[in-house]
């Protein structure tokens, strides 16, 4: 402490001096409270089709049920409304619908809490009308995560079968009503893709996966298996999926593009021994797709749908496997991951590029859900409209509408985008790429109106000055490049370069008068720059303590000291954003959480509201122009969450700060010491 004018905060044992603004007289007496504002989950953008299967069902309520990150989404296809099941503590991996078409079982990965302690995976059985959790199955039993789940049919769904993600892929059978385990066995060391009960006999369970299909018998608490024998047929590398036909045969879809029909036959006692009962054997092979058969789906009356990987085709087959109709889904959506039957005509199709399509063979398919397919970091909200932009490692730049909850447009770049900012006039947006290149896109035409390259390292932040006359570009090469902006954001001229950080630029903000910049770097440095005077580094940080900032996204600064936990690693907070009202600050952390703190938040251990939903590090947060909503985005979970901001009071933070000081002074005291 120097005469109460500064305070030290420590990150990774490094002291960072924070200078206390003049309008705070009694720092010690400041009270930190959680904000009166809260968040409510409003919309979930995205679907996890890339690496999960059997993850889309259609409910009698008219809702599609699917998952992404830690949320199971119930999306009403006609009303375009969402409900959310939110009891999972880590990424949901699998989903199945009970024969009553009301109950749902969903299984999750093992998580970790913020102290690195493991959170155990489990399966929730819940009611899709009330969203009430009915049963939590297997807490403490499963390893790593839950890969597949299935309800029994013959006894109205009395049992649940679960396969976990351990090396042995433990297969267990549970009583749904009591939540107790009936039987458990190691299934295989190979990957397992699917499990189902025989619809007419709950003692019979089938699993398939990498180079295997197993026929299990469950009796007297024991599970025994028979291996499917391929005999004269080529053994496929993967058996991806299977269904039961009306006649009791099993149809498997494999990586060779074939549908194999397995029928019950009297056992060949010569080869299988005296005790052998009837077994499943291959009766016929049907060539179905070029590349893998990713999914099979039964229709009423015995017809069948198959969905292809490489050929992206959906084929309708008669009960005796004669092809009847086919169509192809557009290439930009990827392969067919799963199919849900709506009414025998209309279908929902989940794809490997994280889209859900709706349509028919006659009319084709349109996307009703779309999302990114790789890690996302770039997020920006429009200065006056209810739209926002995202970009990420999949090279997609997407413009979303927060009111209509839809993708307005999406364009693919040659490299991946990491950061973005809208020009204050709202007509263009600049996007910083992984190579030092940056582009300016016209929102109406989506055309590139300007493009430049600064350095050859990735860009981490693009930020326009409040009046739009400058653009600051922060790079991993330790420099901030400054451009003057003319012609309404269409013309950029290099103005200067801020040189002085000894590590990569992470965050930066402009002062309200558009003359100064505050920046953070990878080695937890806070620097101030006089841009107007030629990008000069201001060596005396004390002199910047009373400056007002047009935006606050720097994670290190006096006003946001309290968002850090004690003993934090400097990478624990990826991004933060002050609301336009300057009342609250939202924080994106490395532990899947979004926090809401009061702003300013200058004291350690400040209380916050915490929100779950993301399944990986949260990479960015941003308020919409009117502060009505907050957007947060996950890195690896490819999920964008839209939160409604509720319960805000009136007045802004400056009144609160003043009232927190016993004798507020309107003019800063002359600096002494």
């Amino acid at each position: 402490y120097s005469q109460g004018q500064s305070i030290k905060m420590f990150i990774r044992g490094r002291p960072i001096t924070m200078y206390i603004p003049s309008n705070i007289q009694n720092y010690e007496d400041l009270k930190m409270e959680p904000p009166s504002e809260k968040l409510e989950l409003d919309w979930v953008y995205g679907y996890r089709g890339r690496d999960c299967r059997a993850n889309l069902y259609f409910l009698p309520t008219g809702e599609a049920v699917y998952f992404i990150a830690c949320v199971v989404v119930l999306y009403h296809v006609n009303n375009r409304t969402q409900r959310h099941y939110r009891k999972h503590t880590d990424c949901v991996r699998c989903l199945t619908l009970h024969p009553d078409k009301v109950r749902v079982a969903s299984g999750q990965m093992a998580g970790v809490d913020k102290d690195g302690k493991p959170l155990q995976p489990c399966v929730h059985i819940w009611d899709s009308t009330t969203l009430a959790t009915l049963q939590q199955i297997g807490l403490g039993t499963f390893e790593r995560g839950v890969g597949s789940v299935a309800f029994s049919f013959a006894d109205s769904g009395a049992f649940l079968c679960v396969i976990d993600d351990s090396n042995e892929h433990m297969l267990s059978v549970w009583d749904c009503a009591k939540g107790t385990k009936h039987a458990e066995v190691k299934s295989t060391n190979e990957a397992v893709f699917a499990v189902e009960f025989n619809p007419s006999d709950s003692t019979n369970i089938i699993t398939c996966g990498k180079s295997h299909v197993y026929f299990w018998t469950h009796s007297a608490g024991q599970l025994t298996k028979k291996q499917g024998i391929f005999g004269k047929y080529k053994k496929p590398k993967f058996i991806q999926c299977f269904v039961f036909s009306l006649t009791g045969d099993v149809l498997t879809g494999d990586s060779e593009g074939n549908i194999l029909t397995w029928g019950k036959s009297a056992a060949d006692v010569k080869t299988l021994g005296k005790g052998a009962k009837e077994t499943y054997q291959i009766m016929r092979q049907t060539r179905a797709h070029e590349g893998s058969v990713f999914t099979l789906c039964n229709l009423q009356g015995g017809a069948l749908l198959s969905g292809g990987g490489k050929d992206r085709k959906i084929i309708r087959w008669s009960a005796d496997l004669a092809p009847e109709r086919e169509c192809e889904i557009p290439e930009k959506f990827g392969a067919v991951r799963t199919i849900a039957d709506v009414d025998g005509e209309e279908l929902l199709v989940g794809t490997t590029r994280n889209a859900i399509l709706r349509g028919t063979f006659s009319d084709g398919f349109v996307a009703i859900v779309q999302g990114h397919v790789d890690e996302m970091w770039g997020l920006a909200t429009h200065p006056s409209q209810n739209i926002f932009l995202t970009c990420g490692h999949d090279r997609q730049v997407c413009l979303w509408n927060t009111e209509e909850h839809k993708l307005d447009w999406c364009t693919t770049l040659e490299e991946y985008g990491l950061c973005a900012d809208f020009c204050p006039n709202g007509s263009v947006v600049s996007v910083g790429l992984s190579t030092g290149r940056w582009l300016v896109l016209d929102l109406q035409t989506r055309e590139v109106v300007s493009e430049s390259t600064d350095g050859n390292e990735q860009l981490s932040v693009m930020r326009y000055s409040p009046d739009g006359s400058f653009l600051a570009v922060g790079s991993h090469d330790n420099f901030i490049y400054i451009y003057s902006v003319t012609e309404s954001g269409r013309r950029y001229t290099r103005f200067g370069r801020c040189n002085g950080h000894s590590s990569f630029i992470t965050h930066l903000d402009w002062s309200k008068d558009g003359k100064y910049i505050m920046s953070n770097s990878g080695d937890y440095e806070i620097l101030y720059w006089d841009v107007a005077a030629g990008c000069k580094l201001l060596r005396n940080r004390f002199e910047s303590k009373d400056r007002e900032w047009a935006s606050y996204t720097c994670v290190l600064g006096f006003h946001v000291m309290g968002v850090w936990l004690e003993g934090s690693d400097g990478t624990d907070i990826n991004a933060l954003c002050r609301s336009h009202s300057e009342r609250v600050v939202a924080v994106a952390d490395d532990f899947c959480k979004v926090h809401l703190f009061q702003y300013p938040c200058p004291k350690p251990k400040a209380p916050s509201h915490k929100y779950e939903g993301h399944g990986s590090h949260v990479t960015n947060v941003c308020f919409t122009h009117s502060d009505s909503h907050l957007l947060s985005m996950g890195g690896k979970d490819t999920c964008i969450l839209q939160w409604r901001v509720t319960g805000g009071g009136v007045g802004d933070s400056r009144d609160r700060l003043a009232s927190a000081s016993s004798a507020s002074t309107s003019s800063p005291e002359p600096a002494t010491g």
Side-chain angles (χ1 to χ4, degrees):
Y1 280 66
S2 108
Q3 305 171 349
Q5 288 180 344
S6 72
I7 177 167
K8 284 197 171 27
M9 119 174 223
F10 290 85
I11 285 206
R12 281 222 161 145
R14 299 176 80 149
I16 303 170
T17 303
M18 302 286 184
Y19 294 102
I20 300 174
S22 319
N23 65 346
I24 295 188
Q25 299 296 300
N26 304 347
Y27 176 79
E28 289 308 303
D29 302 339
L30 280 182
K31 286 276 174 287
M32 290 287 98
E33 287 170 358
S36 56
E37 289 83 350
K38 292 193 164 72
L39 301 179
E40 283 173 7
L41 185 59
D42 178 43
W43 201 262
V44 176
Y45 297 92
Y47 152 76
R48 185 170 179 172
R50 192 183 37 154
D51 60 350
C52 287
R53 32 179 66 78
N55 55 3
L56 173 65
Y57 296 88
F58 188 74
L59 300 173
T61 55
E63 292 168 303
V65 55
Y66 58 91
F67 57 81
I68 182 169
C70 307
V71 186
V72 184
V73 180
L74 298 95
Y75 174 57
H76 197 292
V77 174
N78 287 336
N79 301 350
R80 307 218 338 234
T81 53
Q82 280 187 356
R83 298 189 298 139
H84 308 109
Y85 179 77
R86 299 193 48 205
K87 292 295 186 293
H88 285 286
T89 55
D90 206 278
C91 280
V92 182
R93 276 292 313 277
C94 56
L95 186 68
T96 194
L97 190 54
H98 192 277
D100 66 13
K101 299 233 189 299
V102 175
R103 280 177 276 177
V104 174
S106 47
Q108 69 170 66
M109 307 282 292
V112 282
D113 67 10
K114 67 175 179 357
D115 306 319
K117 287 204 212 44
L119 295 168
Q120 296 170 318
C122 63
V123 175
H124 290 303
I125 299 178
W126 46 280
D127 182 312
S128 64
T129 48
T130 64
L131 301 184
T133 306
L134 306 171
Q135 199 60 259
Q136 183 171 271
I137 300 267
L139 200 64
T141 315
F142 309 128
E143 260 187 72
R144 289 192 203 141
V146 178
S148 308
V149 282
F151 283 110
S152 59
F153 281 82
D155 41 36
S156 310
F159 297 104
L160 182 78
C161 186
V162 182
I163 295 180
D164 78 3
D165 281 333
S166 64
N167 288 344
E168 288 82 28
H169 296 100
M170 300 302 293
L171 184 153
S172 51
V173 176
W174 300 76
D175 180 313
C176 292
K178 300 198 185 89
T180 52
K181 182 160 63 181
H182 271 230
E184 182 177 52
V185 68
K186 296 176 179 179
S187 73
T188 172
N189 285 347
E190 301 283 15
V192 179
F193 294 158
V195 59
E196 292 292 347
F197 284 87
N198 185 323
S200 55
D201 175 6
S202 295
T203 64
N204 179 215
I205 297 168
I206 298 186
T207 60
C208 72
K210 187 172 180 199
S211 59
H212 74 273
V213 54
Y214 292 142
F215 303 93
W216 299 86
T217 305
H218 171 218
S219 73
Q222 294 292 306
L223 284 157
T224 51
K225 75 175 173 194
K226 290 205 168 78
Q227 209 159 324
I229 307 290
F230 289 88
K232 65 178 185 187
Y233 297 95
K234 181 181 174 188
K235 188 176 198 175
K237 191 168 178 197
F238 297 102
I239 291 91
Q240 313 267 19
C241 53
F242 65 89
V243 290
F244 291 87
S245 75
L246 286 181
T247 54
D249 294 339
V250 175
L251 307 172
T252 60
D254 62 42
S255 52
E256 302 294 311
N258 293 323
I259 296 172
L260 297 175
T261 304
W262 303 73
K264 276 262 176 93
S265 67
D268 176 352
V269 181
K270 275 213 242 2
T271 55
L272 293 173
K274 278 218 163 37
K277 290 208 171 47
E278 53 185 21
T279 57
Y280 282 95
Q281 289 183 1
I282 299 172
M283 303 302 204
R284 68 183 275 205
Q285 173 178 298
T286 308
R287 184 95 191 108
H289 291 272
E290 191 189 326
S292 282
V293 181
F294 269 1
T295 187
L296 293 168
C297 169
N298 282 323
L299 296 173
Q300 293 289 306
L304 177 75
L305 299 173
S306 65
K310 194 174 173 188
D311 64 10
R312 305 186 318 280
K313 279 184 181 168
I314 300 170
I315 302 175
R316 181 187 160 110
W317 307 84
S318 66
D320 55 2
L321 290 187
E324 293 180 337
R325 301 208 62 171
E326 71 169 58
C327 64
E328 197 175 297
I329 64 167
E331 189 171 4
K332 64 177 176 185
F333 298 127
V336 179
R337 174 60 81 195
T338 189
I339 302 170
D341 175 26
V342 174
D343 59 12
E345 278 297 307
E346 194 180 351
L347 308 174
L348 297 178
V349 181
T351 80
T352 56
R353 286 187 66 79
N354 293 353
I356 297 176
L357 315 179
R358 173 190 190 183
T360 62
F361 280 101
S362 324
D363 302 337
F365 290 87
V366 293
I368 56 169
V369 176
Q370 284 173 271
H372 281 276
V373 289
D374 204 345
E375 187 152 348
M376 305 180 297
W377 284 87
L379 172 67
T381 51
H382 193 276
S384 59
Q385 297 171 35
N386 294 320
I387 56 178
F388 67 97
L389 182 128
T390 56
C391 57
H393 288 27
D394 58 8
R395 310 198 332 275
Q396 293 193 133
V397 173
C398 296
L399 189 76
W400 309 85
N401 186 309
T402 60
E403 287 175 293
E404 295 179 29
H405 308 123
K406 72 179 193 21
L407 182 63
D408 276 349
W409 54 259
C410 179
T411 181
T412 305
L413 307 175
E414 289 153 45
E415 299 129 44
Y416 56 78
L418 289 161
C419 49
D421 196 32
F422 286 93
C423 185
N425 70 20
S427 67
V428 300
V429 64
S430 61
V431 181
L433 309 181
S434 55
T435 54
R437 206 157 74 94
W438 53 273
L439 312 172
V440 182
L441 300 172
D442 180 299
L443 282 187
Q444 286 334 110
T445 65
R446 306 172 212 177
E447 278 165 19
V448 175
V449 295
S450 172
E451 103 174 66
S452 306
T453 302
D454 287 300
N456 53 11
E457 301 210 30
Q458 68 185 54
L459 302 179
S460 45
V461 54
M462 312 290 288
R463 183 91 54 225
Y464 285 92
S465 64
D467 66 358
S469 61
F470 287 111
L471 172 67
V473 179
S475 168
H476 265 234
D477 67 7
N478 307 0
F479 296 123
I480 301 168
Y481 299 90
I482 308 290
Y483 283 79
S484 24
V485 184
T486 50
E487 294 174 24
S488 308
R490 291 167 174 273
R491 193 154 170 222
Y492 295 78
T493 318
R494 173 76 84 81
F495 175 83
R497 188 174 79 163
C498 300
N499 170 9
H501 271 295
S502 44
S503 181
F504 55 93
I505 312 302
T506 56
H507 307 86
L508 67 84
D509 294 291
W510 285 91
S511 60
K512 285 188 177 171
D513 62 12
K515 293 179 178 167
Y516 299 92
I517 281 176
M518 154 175 66
S519 56
N520 292 171
S521 58
D523 55 359
Y524 322 128
E525 213 173 21
I526 307 167
L527 295 182
Y528 298 92
W529 312 86
D530 185 337
V531 175
C535 303
K536 284 213 310 264
L537 174 62
L538 298 173
R539 302 224 169 255
N540 185 355
R541 285 180 43 230
F542 178 79
E543 288 167 9
S544 294
K545 67 183 167 52
D546 292 327
R547 201 155 274 129
E548 295 205 330
W549 301 101
S551 61
Y552 212 116
T553 61
C554 283
V555 296
L556 295 172
F558 172 81
H559 299 83
V560 296
M561 268 170 61
V563 308
W564 292 87
L565 290 167
E566 262 180 306
S568 268
D569 167 340
T571 62
D572 288 351
I573 290 175
N574 295 312
L576 61 76
C577 180
R578 181 185 70 189
S579 64
H580 298 85
S581 70
E582 305 191 11
R583 292 178 51 89
V584 288
V585 59
V587 172
D589 79 13
D590 237 14
F591 312 104
C592 314
K593 304 276 187 302
V594 174
H595 302 251
L596 207 56
F597 289 90
Q598 163 189 313
Y599 178 90
C601 181
K603 292 193 87 170
K605 297 194 186 143
S608 68
H609 302 305
K610 296 177 189 54
Y611 299 95
E612 302 183 332
H614 283 293
S616 68
H617 51 289
V618 186
T619 54
N620 219 331
V621 280
C622 212
F623 286 95
T624 56
H625 65 95
S626 63
D627 289 338
S628 63
H629 292 84
L630 176 79
L631 292 146
S632 64
M633 94 181 166
K636 296 259 190 279
D637 68 15
T638 71
C639 177
I640 304 161
L641 299 181
Q642 178 172 314
W643 309 86
R644 196 181 300 104
V645 181
T646 63
V650 289
D652 72 18
S653 63
R654 280 164 296 199
D655 316 333
R656 209 164 48 205
L657 250 190
S659 61
S661 308
S662 50
S664 167
T665 48
S666 52
S667 61
E669 296 292 300
T672 54

